Amino acid sequence: MLTRKLHIDPINPDMGAIAEASGIVKAGGIIIFPTETVYGIGANALNESACRRIFALKGRPSDNPLIVHVSSLEMAEGIASIPAEYRDGIRRVWPSPITFIAKSNGTLQKAVTGGLSTVAVRMPAHPVALALISECGVPIAAPSANPSGRPSATNPRRAISYFDGRVECIIDSGAAFFGIESTVIDLESFTVLRPGPFTPEEIEKAFGRMPKVDAVTRGMAHSGVAVSPGVKYAHYAPKTKLLLFSGDIGELTGLLDGIQNLPPFAFIGSAESCKAVSEAFGCSTIALGDRPDLYKIAKNLYDGIIALDSLNVAFGIIEAFEERGIGLAIMNRIRKACSGTSFNSADGLSKILEP
Ligand code: TXA
Ligand code: MG
């Protein structure tokens, strides 16, 4: 299939191009479009067969439901029951990188909700996404535009490398603004199911209530029961084995020095740490940004993880970041990309590297 590529300015979208894109969605096509977090792979949420195709394209398990994107609170209320007590708070925060889990009103098919009684709704803060949804006049169901398990596409190049020739249309509006997926919050328990750019502190400000954040959310524990279906699947992983160094970064080079026959490895981390590690070992490094600039680190994280696979090394080491603000989301994604494998001592690393 020939994929139609549409260049659309991210801030002042051309309405002619938006009309063409919405025509593709209304005709039942699949479209890859920008949001402020990552690129989404979407379809008319009311078109069951188009939504099923999204699962097939991603290789996504059918019990992992899609986020439904809306352009107004009214559109959200057409598919979900938003509790009255949260309506003002949601009005205050939307559009923004925050997704709410609310009771479904039965309008959406199983292909979207995975058979759950709840639905994930989000109003994205991206002019192109908002214009597209409102021009379509229907909610757009869209997971992140990546094959299941792989890092999300934060730019159109990545989305093209994943899906060119298999979807009807890809919109190119340059890099997504945040580069990390939206915060998911369950309204019934007021719990953060997935940390994202919208931080618990900001949620508290808007709702007058601090959401719960548990160990599963931090990516430190695996839930037996899937609170959010997505949490039980592997995520964001490179093909190369990736290990989290959870100790004090000042001790990493000394620790690596103590290991005999260390196979070739690469280091992913802040610019400061990359400099120190490359000076000590001359190994390849992937710098994500300056250490204090957590938004930059978040934005470069997935491309950094993907770049590891082109370096021809036995494994990668990634450093830990402060779990403050968006740092919570960064560490959640890193722990998942490492499938929970971390070390903080020479012994710990040797054990992991044992054949
Ligand atoms: O930023 C984002 O949220 C991006 C952009 C494209 O909007 N979308 C995204 O979608 O990350 P996806 O499908 O990759 O992640 C959706 C997450 C999954 O972990 C899924 O399990 C969870 O939301 N989810 C969806 N519906 C749910 C529900 N009813 N209850 C609990 N979790 C749900
Ligand atoms: Mg995803």
Side-chain angles (χ1 to χ4, degrees):
M1 152 190 318
L2 189 66
T3 298
R4 174 83 173 121
K5 312 268 179 20
L6 289 171
H7 284 264
I8 303 184
D9 185 273
I11 305 302
N12 293 304
D14 173 67
M15 287 314 287
I18 292 288
E20 181 179 347
S22 79
I24 293 171
V25 175
K26 286 191 267 191
I30 307 277
I31 191 164
I32 290 181
F33 65 99
T35 81
E36 79 280 31
T37 55
V38 298
Y39 272 69
I41 176 167
N44 174 355
L46 306 175
N47 182 328
E48 203 180 352
S49 62
C51 291
R52 281 195 200 290
R53 235 184 95 206
I54 296 178
F55 283 84
L57 282 164
K58 283 190 56 121
R60 183 177 178 107
S62 61
D63 66 349
N64 191 5
L66 308 181
I67 292 180
V68 181
H69 297 69
V70 296
S71 55
S72 66
L73 181 58
E74 291 61 42
M75 194 186 267
E77 295 194 303
I79 53 174
S81 315
I82 307 286
E85 52 177 317
Y86 293 124
R87 212 171 276 139
D88 286 344
I90 294 176
R91 265 192 216 288
R92 268 195 287 278
V93 300
W94 267 0
S96 62
I98 180 163
T99 298
F100 295 101
I101 308 293
K103 283 258 167 308
S104 161
N105 69 8
T107 305
L108 294 175
Q109 300 295 312
K110 208 174 155 194
V112 176
T113 62
L116 296 179
S117 59
T118 51
V119 57
V121 280
R122 133 164 166 82
M123 180 170 166
H126 193 294
V128 172
L130 280 177
L132 176 67
I133 302 160
S134 95
E135 184 70 19
C136 288
V138 291
I140 295 186
S144 50
N146 54 278
S148 204
R150 302 281 290 141
S152 302
T154 58
N155 57 61
R157 270 168 290 113
R158 183 72 58 203
I160 288 169
S161 79
Y162 285 150
F163 293 110
D164 197 17
R166 298 163 63 212
V167 297
E168 278 74 15
C169 178
I170 297 180
I171 296 179
D172 176 346
S173 297
F177 307 148
F178 290 103
I180 205 158
E181 304 84 352
S182 65
T183 306
V184 178
I185 174 156
D186 175 41
L187 285 180
E188 196 177 44
S189 58
F190 212 65
T191 304
V192 176
L193 301 182
R194 179 177 72 182
F198 207 96
T199 66
E201 296 79 5
E202 290 166 328
I203 294 172
E204 183 184 23
K205 239 182 249 159
F207 288 87
R209 221 181 127 184
M210 191 69 171
K212 283 175 255 167
V213 182
D214 60 20
V216 174
T217 300
R218 291 175 195 275
M220 293 170 83
H222 290 285
S223 173
V225 280
V227 253
S228 185
V231 301
K232 67 181 177 191
Y233 298 108
H235 270 304
Y236 318 113
K239 292 174 180 145
T240 311
K241 186 202 281 279
L242 182 62
L243 311 173
L244 169 63
F245 175 61
S246 57
D248 174 14
I249 193 71
E251 290 164 11
L252 178 65
T253 54
L255 180 162
L256 293 175
D257 257 338
I259 297 181
Q260 303 273 310
N261 307 321
L262 191 63
F265 69 96
F267 177 81
I268 307 178
S270 64
E272 296 89 331
S273 302
C274 282
K275 185 162 177 280
V277 175
S278 104
E279 275 168 9
F281 295 96
C283 65
S284 304
T285 58
I286 299 168
L288 302 175
D290 292 343
R291 178 166 263 282
D293 190 354
L294 290 178
Y295 281 94
K296 180 95 177 279
I297 305 272
K299 197 167 177 180
N300 290 328
L301 182 64
Y302 294 146
D303 271 352
I305 288 173
I306 293 170
L308 178 64
D309 289 329
S310 60
L311 292 180
N312 230 327
V313 290
F315 69 102
I317 296 175
I318 188 163
E319 76 172 302
F321 293 90
E322 198 185 345
E323 281 183 283
R324 169 181 56 79
I326 199 171
L328 196 63
I330 294 173
M331 287 310 295
N332 165 280
R333 307 307 192 273
I334 289 180
R335 289 197 177 96
K336 286 171 193 262
C338 295
S339 311
T341 316
S342 68
F343 69 96
N344 57 17
S345 67
D347 271 1
L349 178 57
S350 302
K351 281 217 182 71
I352 296 169
L353 296 177
E354 268 167 23

